[in-house]
Amino acid sequence: MIVTETPAAGRPRRRRLAIRFAAFIRWLHIYVSMFGLVAVLFFSVTGVTLNHPDWFLGEMESRSDVEGRIDPKLLIPASPSGEVAKLEVVEHLRKAHDVRGALVEFKVDDAECLVAFKGPGYAADAFINRDDGKYTLSQTAHGLVGVINDLHKGRDSGPVWSLVVDVSALLLVVISLSGLILIFYLKLRRVPGVVVAIAGGLVVGLLYWFGVP
């Protein structure tokens, strides 16, 4: 004898699946929120410092200019087909003047070399005379606020921090979507919650439409 499942019998199964799904979404929302708490807090705070750097003395910067000399043999290749000893030049600047940041440019012409470094809230530029090895080095630091603002933007922060920014953005998406899904399982708050979400989206849209030049 073939037993067919009636609609009434199928409803409890769907209800159990719905309860399990809601429990999973709740678990996901809670623990992803906790896992990404520091990242979310960091990007929230730096959103304010980025938008108002003057509130936190973000416009203050320190600049230092120094002079030095490097072995000219590193700058003048022994043969026409040779190259400037870039690695040795970079290491000299780092050790002699505590230069930090990533090397972003090493430009060589007939008269001089330009070596540029950049990092979060930091920049250094060295101009080296190829004839005698004399150089001037300028370093600019923008303080803590400048550092965290560049980290917020992922600027001059390297591939690892770029991955942190991407993962943080993904966590925010998961937190937002899981929270939106959860509201549909709260009967008393479902309609008010959806209305508030729609109202918030409309407010942001109107502010952009009327407030952004």
Side-chain angles (χ1 to χ4, degrees):
M1 181 176 65
I2 300 175
V3 178
T4 58
E5 186 180 78
T6 64
R11 280 196 291 271
R13 177 179 295 179
R14 289 195 296 270
R15 179 171 176 77
R16 287 196 299 271
L17 290 175
I19 292 174
R20 291 178 181 175
F21 180 72
F24 169 74
I25 292 297
R26 188 180 300 111
W27 175 89
L28 183 69
H29 182 77
I30 291 172
Y31 287 100
V32 170
S33 299
M34 296 308 298
F35 180 79
L37 177 63
V38 173
V40 172
L41 183 61
F42 173 81
F43 286 103
S44 300
V45 172
T46 53
V48 178
T49 62
L50 186 65
N51 201 35
H52 301 283
D54 53 307
W55 291 3
F56 305 91
L57 304 179
E59 295 300 323
M60 295 183 63
E61 67 175 44
S62 61
R63 179 185 175 92
S64 64
D65 297 298
V66 296
E67 295 181 351
R69 186 177 184 277
I70 194 170
D71 188 351
K73 295 180 180 179
L74 299 176
L75 308 171
I76 303 176
S79 64
S81 60
E83 294 183 353
V84 171
K86 295 182 179 180
L87 179 60
E88 289 80 358
V89 172
V90 170
E91 288 304 312
H92 171 85
L93 294 173
R94 289 192 186 279
K95 292 179 180 179
H97 306 287
D98 196 26
V99 173
R100 52 190 175 87
L103 176 68
V104 296
E105 185 178 9
F106 198 122
K107 184 178 179 181
V108 180
D109 60 28
D110 294 337
E112 68 177 9
C113 297
L114 165 63
V115 189
F117 304 83
K118 286 188 180 297
Y122 174 84
D125 298 291
F127 296 89
I128 310 172
N129 189 300
R130 296 186 64 185
D131 290 332
D132 55 14
K134 292 183 178 180
Y135 62 82
T136 58
L137 173 69
S138 298
Q139 297 186 74
T140 304
H142 294 276
L144 177 61
V145 174
V147 172
I148 62 176
N149 284 349
D150 280 351
L151 289 176
H152 181 101
K153 294 180 286 187
R155 185 171 66 184
D156 303 321
S157 53
V160 174
W161 186 259
S162 178
L163 180 61
V164 171
V165 175
D166 292 339
V167 172
S168 300
L170 180 61
L171 290 176
L172 283 171
V173 171
V174 173
I175 292 169
S176 300
L177 291 180
S178 59
L180 182 62
I181 293 172
L182 278 177
I183 198 68
F184 287 95
Y185 287 90
L186 303 175
K187 291 184 178 180
L188 296 179
R189 295 184 175 87
R190 182 184 304 164
V191 174
V194 172
V195 170
V196 170
I198 294 174
L202 290 175
V203 168
V204 173
L206 290 173
L207 289 174
Y208 168 77
W209 185 263
F210 293 105
V212 177

